[in-house]
Amino acid sequence: MNDVSAHFHQVEMKPKDFRSEIDPVWCAGCGHYGILSGIYRAMSELGLDPNYTVNISGIGCSSRTPYFVKSYQMHTLHGRAGAVATGTQLARPDLAVIVTGGDGDGFSIGGGHMPHLARKNVNMSYVMMDNRIYGLTKGQVSPTSRKEMKAYTTPYGGVEEPLDPVLYMLTYGATYVGQAFAGNPKMCARLIKGALEHRGFAFVNIFSQCPTFNTIDTANYFKDLVVDVEEEIDLGDVMSAMNRVQQMNHEGKLAVGLLHQSHRATLDEEMSRLIAQVGGNADYDLQTIIDDSRP
Ligand SMILES: Cc1ncc(C[n+]2csc(CCOP(=O)(O)OP(=O)(O)O)c2C)c(N)n1
Ligand SMILES: [Mg+2]
């Protein structure tokens, strides 16, 4: 269980009560609406208190999400949401920490942070709104764009293989990994709820159509390819998830559902343990460490 369990059921709010006073400004038909609805539902089902929840993002259409959710909000630097969220979670482990962001934000400029969130097992939920394009800047390929995509930066088609977000996060030790399609807000809500309940680094990749700048990964394209594989996977076994996802990729399909869940100490737990271990020793107070480190 997550620390937010202390705040579950403290509020009785309907999904719509989690809407902030700011309305989304996304294009008509954007998949991000479905994900936002999944976030509202998950928060409502958990009775998550907005006063104990912080939504953090970087830059992008997807990164506008915190504005639309009743909670504390931080709209930070491009690619740096995970780092800000790590600091926030360590300083305030009693908060539910949610990161929302795009494939460009998380895997291009923020790509260096992702493995570390996973290996450190930072207690947060990372909702990746994967539309396989840079939406906000009007259509450049991202690390999850398909090779054949023609976009602003690839007028003759791409030359690079895309990365697979869930294989990536499984490799680096994320303790909760799920994948969904924005066209199925119920599944989005279920996986986001599970992520919030999970203690540790929870990553949910959500395929999201961008009707304005990504003309190949349409809602129908995703709808036809997604297959719920959750029942076929041994959720505690990373290899089971990796094999099934790879197999689906080879078949040209997209594996969705909860793919992996395991448990180990989180970064804040490790830090508290360490502080308790050395805390009683006056030699270890901060000033002493600073003084000792002077040449
Ligand atoms: C340091 C920096 N570099 C580049 C940009 C320009 N920029 C803004 S959003 C973005 C990509 C957004 O794509 P993604 O994260 O996939 O979000 P989407 O808009 O597709 O939801 C880029 C490159 C910026 N704002 N700051
Ligand atoms: Mg994007």
Side-chain angles (χ1 to χ4, degrees), residues 14-15 34 36 60-61 67 84 110 128-129 140 160 182 184 191 223 237 244 258 283 286 295:
K14 298 199 168 71
L36 181 62
C61 296
Y67 287 120
V84 174
M128 172 60 75
M129 301 161 81
Q140 297 81 21
E160 300 165 7
N184 185 347
L191 292 179
K223 186 160 90 29
D237 176 7
R244 195 68 190 104
L258 180 60
D283 291 345
L286 190 59

Side-chain angles (χ1 to χ4, degrees), residues 79-97:
R80 303 295 176 255
V84 174
T86 301
T88 306
Q89 202 284 326
L90 287 179
R92 287 292 305 272
D94 57 323
L95 302 186
V97 180

Side-chain angles (χ1 to χ4, degrees), residues 78-79 85 93 101 105 135 147 178 194 198 203 213 222 250:
H78 197 20
D105 187 72
K147 197 172 174 182
H198 177 77
F203 177 81
F213 296 110
F222 286 128
H250 280 299

Side-chain angles (χ1 to χ4, degrees), residues 44-147:
S44 167
E45 282 177 30
L46 291 171
L48 218 58
D49 187 340
N51 292 316
Y52 287 91
T53 306
V54 55
N55 272 279
I56 302 174
S57 67
I59 303 293
C61 296
S62 39
S63 290
R64 290 175 182 261
T65 302
Y67 287 120
F68 315 134
V69 185
K70 202 169 273 174
S71 66
Y72 284 98
Q73 307 153 354
M74 281 197 259
H75 191 192
T76 73
L77 294 177
H78 197 20
R80 303 295 176 255
V84 174
T86 301
T88 306
Q89 202 284 326
L90 287 179
R92 287 292 305 272
D94 57 323
L95 302 186
V97 180
I98 307 172
V99 170
T100 46
D103 40 302
D105 187 72
F107 287 118
S108 286
I109 192 166
H113 290 285
M114 298 304 283
H116 305 292
L117 302 177
R119 77 181 174 85
K120 294 176 186 182
N121 201 24
V122 185
N123 188 22
M124 66 161 87
S125 303
Y126 198 119
V127 179
M128 172 60 75
M129 301 161 81
D130 181 11
N131 57 8
R132 300 175 165 184
I133 192 97
Y134 294 178
L136 188 77
T137 45
K138 301 183 186 289
Q140 297 81 21
V141 289
S142 92
T144 59
S145 299
R146 282 192 280 150
K147 197 172 174 182

Side-chain angles (χ1 to χ4, degrees), residues 167-186:
L167 288 176
Y168 189 103
M169 298 320 294
L170 287 165
T171 302
Y172 285 105
T175 46
Y176 179 106
V177 178
Q179 186 152 259
F181 162 46
N184 185 347
K186 263 193 188 164

Side-chain angles (χ1 to χ4, degrees), residues 213-233:
F213 296 110
N214 183 338
T215 51
I216 62 170
D217 300 302
T218 60
N220 281 334
Y221 167 83
F222 286 128
K223 186 160 90 29
D224 290 344
L225 295 183
V226 292
V227 180
D228 190 341
V229 296
E230 187 170 327
E231 296 291 309
E232 306 162 28
I233 288 178

